[in-house]
Each structure stands twice: as C-alpha cells, then as structure tokens.
Amino acid sequence: MTQSDKVTTRFAPSPSGHLHLGHAYSAKLNYEFAKKHGGEFIIRIEDIDHLRCKPEYENAIYEDLGWLGLSWPTPVRRQSEHFDVYADALAKLDEMGLLYPCFCTRRDIRNEIEDSSRAPHLGPKMGPEGIIYPRICKKLTSAEKRQKLDDGIPHAMRLDLEKAMALVQEPLYWTDLGSGKQIADPALLGDVVLARKDFPTSYHLSVVVDDHIQGITHVIRGQDLYYASHFHRLLQFLLGLDTPTYDHHPLLTTPDGNRLAKRDKSITIKSIRESGISPDQIDDLIQEYL
Ligand code: GLU
C-alpha cells in the first residue's frame, strides 16, 4: 500500500444462508476501520456457487447490514457476473505451466487415503485445513490425461504447488494488523483447486483477483481464513496482484464452545432483529459470544 492509497475494506459474504452474529461482527469491524481512517467500506457478493447461493439471501444481507447501520456504495460487485475475469487469471497460471487437471471424485481421494494408510510412511499429509490432496492426478501420464479429457470426464484444475514454489525466490510475507509480519507457507494447503468441476473458478482465485481489482487495502476477516491467507499470498505473487494488509479476528462461539454457523438459526441477524433487540445493543451481544 502506498501513502496515497485510500483505506478500502470489504465485507464479502456468500448468499447461501442468513447472516449470523459473527458476520455482524466482521462487517462492523470492516466498516468502523474504514470510517476511522476516512476510507471506504464496500460489500462484495461471493456467489460463484450457483447451487448454494440464492437471491433472497442476497436481499436479506442488504436488509441486515442496513439495519446494523452500515452503508456502502452501489452497485455491489457480484462474483457470478465476472467469471471472464477469473478465467483470464486462470489462463495466465495455465500458460505459466502451473495447473493440472484433476479428475478425482471424493471417493477416489478417500480410497487413495485408505490405501496409503496401510503404508503410513507414504501416507497423506494433514494440513491445518484437513487432508492435503495426495496429488493423484499429478502422477497421470500425458496420454492418460489426454484420454480422460477426450472422454469428457469432469475435471477441476489444481495449482501445482511444487512448480509454483520453484518460482518463489525469497520468502513471501504479509502484514497482519494483530500479529505483525507473517511469512506465507502455502504448502499448508497443498495443490489447491482453482477451478472447480461445477464452475470455472474457486473461492481462492476469485477472492485475490477481486481484492486487487477493487483496491482493497485491508482484508479484515475471521481467524478461520488465516491459513487461506498463506495461499492467497502465493496467488498474489504468481498473478502480480497487490497484497493487502490483513487482520484475522477471533470467531464468535456459543457457550458450549462451538463456532457460530449459518445453520444456527437462533443467532441470525434476522432473528435478533425480530426478537426486538435494537442495533445499538449488538455490540454488547457480540461481546457475550467473543
Ligand atoms: N465469502 C467468504 C465467506 O462468506 C468470505 C471471504 C473472505 O472474507 O475472504 O466466508
């Protein structure tokens, strides 16, 4: 970020359910940070997954955030309207020779993991986000790959982490508001899917492209995306995109220690509104779950 950059933050929900109190916390942190620095707060709708996202949830997002007292410029960027932009980024990585098609089903991956657990020294590696893809399709010969493509077997596209990391000459880092300089370790996530079988991009690819295009200077989001940031830093390097400053805030939890989830109907912003709580009581309510 240069001195002249205006602080720009974003709240980027997926309209796949109603927002909950944790979203209110995240949106308010972004909003208040932007206001404090004379900057701009924007909303981005992350709706690449057409099977899970619904227009009524998008409308509910605007209603909930408006009720919280937030305002934002319109029109709002919807990722589903920019598949061409993500396709260009994907093509760039492909031209660099950094992608490979992955034909695996969940079952293929499960079988591979079961097999390798019989030979634990060859076994799958666990990352902080679960099992790291055991690179089954990376081992296919060109002929095997060609055959599967010709047969029209659905495939995702994965980043070849080994090849990508060979391009990294010095450590990649980012600044985290809470914890300072962070050295990115993209290997934590392995060969991540950048274009899914059912749609031609992924959360990881779209988010770094959009944060760059929209001039986001500060990405303030939940701790659950901390490991994703390690991978996002690599994508920024490979695609020549800006690296924002990050902040990973704590997640709200229920009294029994579980993370709030979209399925927890009782603490959606909608249900909070309907229970007669007023927006100026939200901060106190958030504190109860922090
Ligand atoms: N769309 C993501 C979500 O709803 C958030 C993405 C981000 O903040 O980077 O969890």
Side-chain angles (χ1 to χ4, degrees):
M1 186 172 112
T2 62
Q3 287 290 315
S4 60
D5 278 338
K6 182 171 75 167
V7 164
T8 306
T9 62
R10 72 350 180 238
F11 177 59
S14 295
S16 57
H18 285 289
L19 298 185
H20 56 60
L21 194 60
H23 294 112
Y25 178 50
S26 199
K28 279 174 71 92
L29 286 178
N30 276 284
Y31 184 78
E32 282 155 17
F33 188 87
K35 294 297 145 201
K36 186 169 148 200
H37 294 278
E40 186 164 61
F41 163 80
I42 65 170
I43 295 179
R44 179 169 72 230
I45 297 294
E46 301 211 324
D47 60 347
I48 52 176
D49 187 341
H50 58 278
L51 294 176
R52 291 178 58 234
C53 295
K54 297 205 167 72
E56 60 262 38
Y57 290 132
E58 183 180 330
N59 292 333
I61 287 169
Y62 301 139
E63 261 179 53
D64 288 344
L65 297 180
W67 177 80
L68 285 169
L70 312 191
S71 55
W72 54 91
T74 53
V76 163
R77 184 179 177 90
R78 279 196 201 97
Q79 290 189 323
S80 60
E81 291 166 1
H82 299 280
F83 282 118
D84 54 335
V85 178
Y86 314 130
D88 286 349
L90 195 73
K92 184 169 174 187
L93 296 170
D94 203 18
E95 277 157 26
M96 291 164 79
L98 299 180
L99 301 180
Y100 64 89
C102 173
F103 306 90
C104 288
T105 59
R106 280 174 205 273
R107 180 183 291 272
D108 293 333
I109 298 176
R110 227 180 13 245
N111 288 347
E112 172 82 8
I113 287 163
E114 273 165 24
D115 285 353
S116 61
S117 63
R118 277 178 230 121
H121 58 292
L122 301 173
K125 291 205 188 76
M126 286 303 284
E129 306 269 284
I131 284 179
I132 294 179
Y133 175 65
R135 296 194 283 185
I136 304 166
C137 287
K138 190 178 160 169
K139 296 166 206 151
L140 294 175
T141 63
S142 308
E144 287 168 332
K145 213 184 296 181
R146 188 71 269 145
Q147 187 63 54
K148 285 179 189 285
L149 289 171
D150 289 350
D151 291 347
I153 300 177
H155 64 279
M157 295 299 283
R158 289 184 182 269
L159 185 78
D160 186 327
L161 190 76
E162 206 176 301
K163 286 191 185 160
M165 289 308 283
L167 301 176
V168 178
Q169 300 299 319
E170 44 193 60
L172 297 172
Y173 69 89
W174 79 84
T175 303
D176 217 281
L177 286 181
S179 40
K181 186 171 168 176
Q182 304 289 306
I183 305 284
D185 182 5
L188 291 168
L189 298 198
D191 289 2
V192 167
V193 168
L194 293 185
R196 292 187 18 175
K197 282 183 186 168
D198 43 359
F199 47 87
T201 183
S202 70
Y203 158 67
H204 297 292
L205 184 65
S206 319
V207 86
V208 293
V209 168
D210 282 354
D211 284 341
H212 174 84
I213 289 177
Q214 297 189 287
I216 303 301
T217 59
H218 293 76
V219 169
I220 301 171
R221 61 186 178 191
Q223 189 65 37
D224 54 332
L225 290 169
Y226 174 73
Y227 292 109
S229 297
H230 285 258
F231 184 70
H232 294 177
R233 183 64 191 87
L234 174 63
L235 285 182
Q236 287 154 0
F237 165 78
L238 297 171
L239 291 165
L241 307 176
D242 294 336
T243 301
T245 296
Y246 286 86
D247 189 34
H248 297 92
H249 59 72
L251 301 177
L252 303 199
T253 51
T254 56
D256 50 7
N258 291 319
R259 260 163 55 175
L260 298 196
K262 280 194 176 134
R263 60 183 175 279
D264 291 326
K265 297 223 167 20
S266 57
I267 32 183
T268 61
I269 304 178
K270 183 173 187 280
S271 65
I272 292 169
R273 285 199 280 146
E274 287 165 0
S275 74
I277 289 177
S278 70
D280 54 13
Q281 292 172 292
I282 284 291
D283 287 343
D284 288 341
L285 194 60
I286 288 170
Q287 286 307 318
E288 286 177 28
Y289 288 87
L290 262 177

mmCIF file of all heavy atoms in Angstrom, residues 90 99-105 109 133 137 145 149 153-159 191-202:
data_model
loop_
_atom_site.group_PDB
_atom_site.id
_atom_site.type_symbol
_atom_site.label_atom_id
_atom_site.label_comp_id
_atom_site.label_asym_id
_atom_site.label_seq_id
_atom_site.Cartn_x
_atom_site.Cartn_y
_atom_site.Cartn_z
ATOM 1 N N LEU A 90 -6.918 -17.559 -14.499
ATOM 2 C CA LEU A 90 -6.646 -18.995 -14.580
ATOM 3 C C LEU A 90 -5.784 -19.300 -15.811
ATOM 4 O O LEU A 90 -4.831 -20.081 -15.742
ATOM 5 C CB LEU A 90 -7.978 -19.752 -14.656
ATOM 6 C CG LEU A 90 -7.913 -21.240 -14.386
ATOM 7 C CD1 LEU A 90 -7.672 -21.494 -12.898
ATOM 8 C CD2 LEU A 90 -9.203 -21.929 -14.813
ATOM 9 N N LEU A 99 -0.763 -25.368 -13.707
ATOM 10 C CA LEU A 99 -2.025 -26.038 -13.380
ATOM 11 C C LEU A 99 -2.023 -27.462 -13.901
ATOM 12 O O LEU A 99 -1.329 -27.775 -14.864
ATOM 13 C CB LEU A 99 -3.200 -25.296 -14.027
ATOM 14 C CG LEU A 99 -3.407 -23.832 -13.658
ATOM 15 C CD1 LEU A 99 -4.622 -23.272 -14.398
ATOM 16 C CD2 LEU A 99 -3.581 -23.656 -12.158
ATOM 17 N N TYR A 100 -2.817 -28.307 -13.272
ATOM 18 C CA TYR A 100 -3.075 -29.621 -13.865
ATOM 19 C C TYR A 100 -4.523 -30.013 -13.614
ATOM 20 O O TYR A 100 -5.113 -29.608 -12.595
ATOM 21 C CB TYR A 100 -2.093 -30.699 -13.366
ATOM 22 C CG TYR A 100 -2.142 -31.028 -11.899
ATOM 23 C CD1 TYR A 100 -2.999 -32.028 -11.410
ATOM 24 C CD2 TYR A 100 -1.316 -30.378 -10.986
ATOM 25 C CE1 TYR A 100 -3.019 -32.359 -10.056
ATOM 26 C CE2 TYR A 100 -1.338 -30.700 -9.640
ATOM 27 C CZ TYR A 100 -2.189 -31.684 -9.178
ATOM 28 O OH TYR A 100 -2.208 -32.014 -7.841
ATOM 29 N N PRO A 101 -5.104 -30.776 -14.573
ATOM 30 C CA PRO A 101 -6.498 -31.179 -14.377
ATOM 31 C C PRO A 101 -6.584 -32.286 -13.332
ATOM 32 O O PRO A 101 -5.713 -33.145 -13.262
ATOM 33 C CB PRO A 101 -6.915 -31.699 -15.761
ATOM 34 C CG PRO A 101 -5.661 -32.075 -16.437
ATOM 35 C CD PRO A 101 -4.554 -31.240 -15.857
ATOM 36 N N CYS A 102 -7.633 -32.232 -12.530
ATOM 37 C CA CYS A 102 -7.833 -33.257 -11.502
ATOM 38 C C CYS A 102 -9.211 -33.879 -11.733
ATOM 39 O O CYS A 102 -10.226 -33.179 -11.695
ATOM 40 C CB CYS A 102 -7.750 -32.626 -10.116
ATOM 41 S SG CYS A 102 -8.181 -33.795 -8.814
ATOM 42 N N PHE A 103 -9.208 -35.185 -11.988
ATOM 43 C CA PHE A 103 -10.446 -35.902 -12.312
ATOM 44 C C PHE A 103 -11.013 -36.612 -11.091
ATOM 45 O O PHE A 103 -12.010 -37.323 -11.189
ATOM 46 C CB PHE A 103 -10.163 -36.932 -13.421
ATOM 47 C CG PHE A 103 -9.516 -36.329 -14.648
ATOM 48 C CD1 PHE A 103 -8.137 -36.246 -14.766
ATOM 49 C CD2 PHE A 103 -10.309 -35.824 -15.672
ATOM 50 C CE1 PHE A 103 -7.546 -35.674 -15.885
ATOM 51 C CE2 PHE A 103 -9.726 -35.255 -16.795
ATOM 52 C CZ PHE A 103 -8.341 -35.178 -16.904
ATOM 53 N N CYS A 104 -10.363 -36.457 -9.962
ATOM 54 C CA CYS A 104 -10.735 -37.239 -8.774
ATOM 55 C C CYS A 104 -12.137 -36.913 -8.276
ATOM 56 O O CYS A 104 -12.547 -35.751 -8.243
ATOM 57 C CB CYS A 104 -9.766 -36.951 -7.636
ATOM 58 S SG CYS A 104 -8.150 -37.664 -7.896
ATOM 59 N N THR A 105 -12.812 -37.954 -7.848
ATOM 60 C CA THR A 105 -14.043 -37.767 -7.085
ATOM 61 C C THR A 105 -13.636 -37.825 -5.606
ATOM 62 O O THR A 105 -12.510 -38.236 -5.280
ATOM 63 C CB THR A 105 -15.034 -38.907 -7.368
ATOM 64 O OG1 THR A 105 -14.374 -40.134 -7.002
ATOM 65 C CG2 THR A 105 -15.427 -38.955 -8.842
ATOM 66 N N ILE A 109 -10.323 -39.909 -3.755
ATOM 67 C CA ILE A 109 -9.382 -39.360 -2.768
ATOM 68 C C ILE A 109 -9.433 -40.191 -1.483
ATOM 69 O O ILE A 109 -8.402 -40.550 -0.913
ATOM 70 C CB ILE A 109 -9.687 -37.860 -2.497
ATOM 71 C CG1 ILE A 109 -9.506 -37.061 -3.801
ATOM 72 C CG2 ILE A 109 -8.786 -37.300 -1.396
ATOM 73 C CD1 ILE A 109 -9.851 -35.593 -3.728
ATOM 74 N N TYR A 133 -4.413 -32.767 -0.520
ATOM 75 C CA TYR A 133 -4.682 -33.612 -1.690
ATOM 76 C C TYR A 133 -3.444 -34.442 -2.050
ATOM 77 O O TYR A 133 -2.358 -33.879 -2.252
ATOM 78 C CB TYR A 133 -5.105 -32.728 -2.877
ATOM 79 C CG TYR A 133 -5.281 -33.500 -4.149
ATOM 80 C CD1 TYR A 133 -6.283 -34.463 -4.265
ATOM 81 C CD2 TYR A 133 -4.425 -33.292 -5.236
ATOM 82 C CE1 TYR A 133 -6.440 -35.194 -5.439
ATOM 83 C CE2 TYR A 133 -4.582 -34.012 -6.408
ATOM 84 C CZ TYR A 133 -5.585 -34.962 -6.504
ATOM 85 O OH TYR A 133 -5.726 -35.684 -7.652
ATOM 86 N N CYS A 137 -3.729 -37.006 -9.439
ATOM 87 C CA CYS A 137 -3.772 -36.672 -10.867
ATOM 88 C C CYS A 137 -2.484 -36.038 -11.368
ATOM 89 O O CYS A 137 -2.243 -35.977 -12.570
ATOM 90 C CB CYS A 137 -4.971 -35.771 -11.161
ATOM 91 S SG CYS A 137 -6.517 -36.707 -11.097
ATOM 92 N N LYS A 145 -3.881 -38.461 -19.227
ATOM 93 C CA LYS A 145 -4.577 -37.181 -19.058
ATOM 94 C C LYS A 145 -5.394 -36.869 -20.319
ATOM 95 O O LYS A 145 -6.567 -36.529 -20.262
ATOM 96 C CB LYS A 145 -3.499 -36.105 -18.859
ATOM 97 C CG LYS A 145 -3.925 -34.981 -17.937
ATOM 98 C CD LYS A 145 -2.879 -33.895 -17.850
ATOM 99 C CE LYS A 145 -1.578 -34.331 -17.249
ATOM 100 N NZ LYS A 145 -0.585 -33.273 -17.159
ATOM 101 N N LEU A 149 -9.456 -36.423 -20.760
ATOM 102 C CA LEU A 149 -10.020 -35.174 -21.291
ATOM 103 C C LEU A 149 -10.882 -35.488 -22.519
ATOM 104 O O LEU A 149 -12.001 -34.994 -22.666
ATOM 105 C CB LEU A 149 -8.910 -34.183 -21.661
ATOM 106 C CG LEU A 149 -8.154 -33.557 -20.478
ATOM 107 C CD1 LEU A 149 -6.936 -32.769 -20.951
ATOM 108 C CD2 LEU A 149 -9.063 -32.643 -19.648
ATOM 109 N N ILE A 153 -14.390 -36.625 -19.088
ATOM 110 C CA ILE A 153 -14.551 -36.824 -17.636
ATOM 111 C C ILE A 153 -14.431 -35.450 -16.956
ATOM 112 O O ILE A 153 -13.473 -34.709 -17.210
ATOM 113 C CB ILE A 153 -13.476 -37.795 -17.089
ATOM 114 C CG1 ILE A 153 -13.611 -39.141 -17.805
ATOM 115 C CG2 ILE A 153 -13.588 -37.964 -15.570
ATOM 116 C CD1 ILE A 153 -12.591 -40.170 -17.418
ATOM 117 N N PRO A 154 -15.414 -35.109 -16.117
ATOM 118 C CA PRO A 154 -15.366 -33.782 -15.483
ATOM 119 C C PRO A 154 -14.081 -33.602 -14.678
ATOM 120 O O PRO A 154 -13.603 -34.547 -14.048
ATOM 121 C CB PRO A 154 -16.583 -33.780 -14.542
ATOM 122 C CG PRO A 154 -17.431 -34.917 -14.961
ATOM 123 C CD PRO A 154 -16.558 -35.911 -15.662
ATOM 124 N N HIS A 155 -13.530 -32.411 -14.758
ATOM 125 C CA HIS A 155 -12.294 -32.192 -14.014
ATOM 126 C C HIS A 155 -12.246 -30.796 -13.401
ATOM 127 O O HIS A 155 -12.841 -29.856 -13.914
ATOM 128 C CB HIS A 155 -11.069 -32.405 -14.903
ATOM 129 C CG HIS A 155 -10.964 -31.427 -16.038
ATOM 130 N ND1 HIS A 155 -11.664 -31.574 -17.205
ATOM 131 C CD2 HIS A 155 -10.255 -30.280 -16.155
ATOM 132 C CE1 HIS A 155 -11.392 -30.563 -18.007
ATOM 133 N NE2 HIS A 155 -10.548 -29.746 -17.400
ATOM 134 N N ALA A 156 -11.516 -30.729 -12.302
ATOM 135 C CA ALA A 156 -11.178 -29.450 -11.686
ATOM 136 C C ALA A 156 -9.774 -29.087 -12.165
ATOM 137 O O ALA A 156 -9.110 -29.889 -12.824
ATOM 138 C CB ALA A 156 -11.206 -29.614 -10.169
ATOM 139 N N MET A 157 -9.324 -27.862 -11.857
ATOM 140 C CA MET A 157 -7.932 -27.501 -12.138
ATOM 141 C C MET A 157 -7.258 -27.180 -10.810
ATOM 142 O O MET A 157 -7.785 -26.404 -10.011
ATOM 143 C CB MET A 157 -7.856 -26.262 -13.049
ATOM 144 C CG MET A 157 -8.408 -26.468 -14.444
ATOM 145 S SD MET A 157 -7.563 -27.743 -15.408
ATOM 146 C CE MET A 157 -6.077 -26.900 -15.905
ATOM 147 N N ARG A 158 -6.113 -27.810 -10.590
ATOM 148 C CA ARG A 158 -5.371 -27.576 -9.343
ATOM 149 C C ARG A 158 -4.063 -26.850 -9.620
ATOM 150 O O ARG A 158 -3.458 -27.032 -10.688
ATOM 151 C CB ARG A 158 -5.033 -28.903 -8.649
ATOM 152 C CG ARG A 158 -6.228 -29.600 -8.044
ATOM 153 C CD ARG A 158 -5.800 -30.851 -7.285
ATOM 154 N NE ARG A 158 -6.957 -31.534 -6.750
ATOM 155 C CZ ARG A 158 -7.467 -31.325 -5.536
ATOM 156 N NH1 ARG A 158 -6.904 -30.448 -4.714
ATOM 157 N NH2 ARG A 158 -8.527 -32.003 -5.128
ATOM 158 N N LEU A 159 -3.626 -26.084 -8.636
ATOM 159 C CA LEU A 159 -2.312 -25.453 -8.742
ATOM 160 C C LEU A 159 -1.247 -26.487 -8.394
ATOM 161 O O LEU A 159 -1.366 -27.189 -7.385
ATOM 162 C CB LEU A 159 -2.198 -24.278 -7.763
ATOM 163 C CG LEU A 159 -0.900 -23.495 -7.913
ATOM 164 C CD1 LEU A 159 -0.970 -22.561 -9.116
ATOM 165 C CD2 LEU A 159 -0.582 -22.693 -6.668
ATOM 166 N N ASP A 191 -1.950 -28.698 -3.127
ATOM 167 C CA ASP A 191 -2.348 -28.365 -4.518
ATOM 168 C C ASP A 191 -3.829 -27.979 -4.538
ATOM 169 O O ASP A 191 -4.706 -28.799 -4.801
ATOM 170 C CB ASP A 191 -2.108 -29.569 -5.445
ATOM 171 C CG ASP A 191 -0.625 -29.822 -5.686
ATOM 172 O OD1 ASP A 191 0.210 -29.091 -5.111
ATOM 173 O OD2 ASP A 191 -0.301 -30.743 -6.467
ATOM 174 N N VAL A 192 -4.076 -26.734 -4.287
ATOM 175 C CA VAL A 192 -5.451 -26.241 -4.107
ATOM 176 C C VAL A 192 -6.211 -26.205 -5.446
ATOM 177 O O VAL A 192 -5.621 -25.952 -6.498
ATOM 178 C CB VAL A 192 -5.379 -24.826 -3.477
ATOM 179 C CG1 VAL A 192 -6.695 -24.098 -3.546
ATOM 180 C CG2 VAL A 192 -4.893 -24.928 -2.038
ATOM 181 N N VAL A 193 -7.505 -26.456 -5.384
ATOM 182 C CA VAL A 193 -8.365 -26.350 -6.585
ATOM 183 C C VAL A 193 -8.585 -24.866 -6.895
ATOM 184 O O VAL A 193 -9.008 -24.102 -6.036
ATOM 185 C CB VAL A 193 -9.735 -27.035 -6.328
ATOM 186 C CG1 VAL A 193 -10.743 -26.676 -7.427
ATOM 187 C CG2 VAL A 193 -9.575 -28.551 -6.243
ATOM 188 N N LEU A 194 -8.300 -24.489 -8.138
ATOM 189 C CA LEU A 194 -8.517 -23.086 -8.543
ATOM 190 C C LEU A 194 -9.701 -22.942 -9.493
ATOM 191 O O LEU A 194 -10.203 -21.837 -9.693
ATOM 192 C CB LEU A 194 -7.256 -22.514 -9.187
ATOM 193 C CG LEU A 194 -6.076 -22.358 -8.228
ATOM 194 C CD1 LEU A 194 -4.908 -21.680 -8.921
ATOM 195 C CD2 LEU A 194 -6.462 -21.581 -6.981
ATOM 196 N N ALA A 195 -10.104 -24.049 -10.105
ATOM 197 C CA ALA A 195 -11.350 -24.032 -10.888
ATOM 198 C C ALA A 195 -12.047 -25.339 -10.565
ATOM 199 O O ALA A 195 -11.435 -26.416 -10.642
ATOM 200 C CB ALA A 195 -11.059 -23.943 -12.372
ATOM 201 N N ARG A 196 -13.289 -25.241 -10.152
ATOM 202 C CA ARG A 196 -13.986 -26.441 -9.709
ATOM 203 C C ARG A 196 -14.625 -27.167 -10.882
ATOM 204 O O ARG A 196 -14.701 -26.644 -11.976
ATOM 205 C CB ARG A 196 -15.038 -26.050 -8.677
ATOM 206 C CG ARG A 196 -14.356 -25.564 -7.408
ATOM 207 C CD ARG A 196 -15.257 -25.307 -6.271
ATOM 208 N NE ARG A 196 -16.568 -25.904 -6.332
ATOM 209 C CZ ARG A 196 -17.457 -25.850 -5.345
ATOM 210 N NH1 ARG A 196 -17.136 -25.228 -4.231
ATOM 211 N NH2 ARG A 196 -18.652 -26.387 -5.455
ATOM 212 N N LYS A 197 -15.077 -28.381 -10.618
ATOM 213 C CA LYS A 197 -15.731 -29.143 -11.689
ATOM 214 C C LYS A 197 -17.033 -28.471 -12.104
ATOM 215 O O LYS A 197 -17.413 -28.487 -13.261
ATOM 216 C CB LYS A 197 -16.072 -30.546 -11.194
ATOM 217 C CG LYS A 197 -14.892 -31.478 -11.176
ATOM 218 C CD LYS A 197 -15.345 -32.858 -10.731
ATOM 219 C CE LYS A 197 -14.152 -33.771 -10.562
ATOM 220 N NZ LYS A 197 -14.450 -35.011 -9.897
ATOM 221 N N ASP A 198 -17.736 -27.914 -11.123
ATOM 222 C CA ASP A 198 -19.081 -27.399 -11.399
ATOM 223 C C ASP A 198 -19.118 -25.919 -11.757
ATOM 224 O O ASP A 198 -20.141 -25.417 -12.197
ATOM 225 C CB ASP A 198 -20.017 -27.692 -10.209
ATOM 226 C CG ASP A 198 -19.365 -27.434 -8.852
ATOM 227 O OD1 ASP A 198 -18.176 -27.053 -8.831
ATOM 228 O OD2 ASP A 198 -20.045 -27.589 -7.832
ATOM 229 N N PHE A 199 -18.044 -25.200 -11.559
ATOM 230 C CA PHE A 199 -17.952 -23.836 -12.059
ATOM 231 C C PHE A 199 -16.478 -23.440 -12.200
ATOM 232 O O PHE A 199 -15.624 -23.964 -11.495
ATOM 233 C CB PHE A 199 -18.742 -22.828 -11.203
ATOM 234 C CG PHE A 199 -18.535 -22.949 -9.727
ATOM 235 C CD1 PHE A 199 -17.491 -22.277 -9.123
ATOM 236 C CD2 PHE A 199 -19.389 -23.705 -8.947
ATOM 237 C CE1 PHE A 199 -17.297 -22.355 -7.755
ATOM 238 C CE2 PHE A 199 -19.205 -23.804 -7.585
ATOM 239 C CZ PHE A 199 -18.156 -23.134 -6.990
ATOM 240 N N PRO A 200 -16.217 -22.502 -13.149
ATOM 241 C CA PRO A 200 -14.830 -22.359 -13.634
ATOM 242 C C PRO A 200 -13.920 -21.457 -12.807
ATOM 243 O O PRO A 200 -13.014 -20.834 -13.337
ATOM 244 C CB PRO A 200 -15.039 -21.757 -15.026
ATOM 245 C CG PRO A 200 -16.298 -20.958 -14.883
ATOM 246 C CD PRO A 200 -17.156 -21.657 -13.884
ATOM 247 N N THR A 201 -14.137 -21.387 -11.508
ATOM 248 C CA THR A 201 -13.219 -20.668 -10.630
ATOM 249 C C THR A 201 -13.344 -21.299 -9.247
ATOM 250 O O THR A 201 -13.961 -22.365 -9.101
ATOM 251 C CB THR A 201 -13.534 -19.150 -10.619
ATOM 252 O OG1 THR A 201 -12.569 -18.464 -9.806
ATOM 253 C CG2 THR A 201 -14.931 -18.843 -10.091
ATOM 254 N N SER A 202 -12.738 -20.658 -8.249
ATOM 255 C CA SER A 202 -12.863 -21.157 -6.878
ATOM 256 C C SER A 202 -12.850 -19.944 -5.961
ATOM 257 O O SER A 202 -12.503 -18.833 -6.393
ATOM 258 C CB SER A 202 -11.687 -22.072 -6.526
ATOM 259 O OG SER A 202 -10.511 -21.294 -6.420
#
